[in-house]
């Protein structure tokens, strides 16, 4: 496995990440994506920001720039996904378009494979 994850970032998500990094006034923070058991469909997505990066993390690259990391176990469930940013009347949030999900809950925060 290479050190770069096969996960894409939409333009809207990339622009939102840039805004959040600028607002934090810390160019070293990264989006950390992970998956854990739970939610109404079996697995749930987690988004965090931090500066921590382990040697086993896979890198998420957008326009040749490191924007996020993901652990190997989560990556196995998200390979080929796209990270998008949705801004709608009900709220704004990062959304994962996961081609590996066979089912997801109504709010899109949990899935099954």
């Amino acid at each position: 496995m290479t050190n770069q994850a096969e996960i894409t970032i939409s333009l809207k998500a990339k622009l939102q990440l840039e805004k959040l990094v600028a607002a934090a006034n810390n160019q070293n923070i990264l989006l950390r994506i992970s998956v854990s058991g739970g939610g109404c469909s079996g697995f749930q997505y987690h988004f965090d920001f931090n500066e921590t990066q382990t040697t086993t993390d896979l890198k998420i690259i957008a326009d040749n720039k490191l924007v996020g990391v993901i652990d190997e176990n989560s990556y196995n469930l998200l390979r080929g996904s796209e990270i998008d940013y949705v801004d709608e009347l009900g709220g704004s949030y990062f959304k994962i378009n996961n081609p590996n999900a066979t089912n997801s809950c109504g709010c899109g925060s949990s899935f099954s494979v």
Side-chain angles (χ1 to χ4, degrees):
M1 181 181 301
T2 67
N3 200 23
Q4 183 174 337
E6 297 171 26
I7 293 178
T8 58
I9 306 282
S10 73
L11 179 58
K12 286 176 76 171
K14 180 183 169 290
L15 293 173
Q16 183 62 24
L17 285 170
E18 289 172 353
K19 286 180 188 176
L20 293 170
V21 168
N25 199 25
N26 182 348
Q27 296 299 313
N28 296 319
I29 62 170
L30 298 169
L31 176 66
R32 174 171 291 283
I33 301 170
S34 61
V35 174
S36 67
C40 52
S41 293
F43 294 102
Q44 55 190 7
Y45 303 113
H46 297 280
F47 299 97
D48 294 305
F49 286 96
N50 64 40
E51 296 179 34
T52 307
Q53 190 178 158
T54 70
T55 57
T56 58
D57 283 337
L58 293 139
K59 298 175 182 176
I60 300 172
I61 307 291
D63 293 335
N64 296 318
K65 182 180 178 196
L66 177 64
V67 295
V69 293
I70 185 169
D71 65 90
E72 191 172 343
N73 290 331
S74 297
Y75 177 64
N76 289 330
L77 296 167
L78 298 179
R79 178 181 274 133
S81 293
E82 177 196 47
I83 309 303
D84 196 10
Y85 185 74
V86 178
D87 189 8
E88 56 190 19
L89 188 59
S92 303
Y93 53 93
F94 287 101
K95 176 183 177 185
I96 296 182
N97 298 313
N98 184 351
N100 307 303
T102 58
N103 192 21
S104 64
C105 67
C107 68
S109 64
S110 69
F111 67 101
S112 60
V113 289

